Amino acid sequence: QVQLVESGGGLVQPGGSLRLSCAASGFTFSDYAMSWYRQAPEKERELVASIASDGSSTNYRDSVKGRFTISRDNAKNTVYLQMNSLKPEDTAVYFCEALRLRSYWGQGTRVTVSS
């Protein structure tokens, strides 16, 4: 049974940091590229960051470059998103995706950036 379980969301003040985790099981994690997406209220889901299956390359949307870092530990079947200098516009539900020939999704973790 494939599972992706996100954790680490919460309420943080502007300028603060959070580290999201996505624990995977039920498939060969190291074969899959991994991505973080987010969806704010009444907005479409958008790609935040992605990382190759071996971690050799990463990509970020422009609005998070220099603030967010995606990483993975294939020994722990986990992908991370380190989020620094958070802004209110980063408020959203964050989802992880595993992609190879098909995609798998987690249930999401909510991040709220507010004073």
Side-chain angles (χ1 to χ4, degrees):
Q1 180 184 359
V2 171
Q3 278 195 312
L4 291 173
V5 180
E6 300 97 334
S7 61
L11 173 64
V12 63
Q13 293 187 341
S17 298
L18 284 175
R19 189 194 196 203
L20 306 184
S21 299
C22 172
S25 61
F27 62 99
T28 305
F29 180 75
S30 58
D31 286 346
Y32 283 70
M34 298 296 297
S35 296
W36 285 96
Y37 284 75
R38 66 186 181 189
Q39 187 166 19
E42 301 183 2
K43 291 189 176 181
E44 294 188 353
R45 191 172 296 190
E46 61 185 22
L47 177 64
V48 176
S50 59
I51 186 168
S53 58
D54 62 358
S56 61
S57 65
T58 57
N59 288 286
Y60 299 90
R61 71 180 301 105
D62 286 347
S63 61
V64 308
K65 285 180 180 177
R67 300 189 297 123
F68 290 12
T69 303
I70 188 171
S71 62
R72 65 190 295 160
D73 185 338
N74 284 352
K76 295 183 178 180
N77 289 353
T78 302
V79 62
Y80 306 96
L81 186 67
Q82 178 67 44
M83 305 187 296
N84 300 328
S85 303
L86 282 161
K87 304 176 181 180
E89 51 264 43
D90 295 318
T91 295
V93 178
Y94 284 71
F95 301 86
C96 66
E97 181 210 29
L99 177 64
R100 193 185 180 193
L101 297 179
R102 59 159 294 171
S103 62
Y104 301 115
W105 291 88
Q107 83 292 342
T109 185
R110 185 174 302 276
V111 172
T112 302
V113 185
S114 175
S115 55

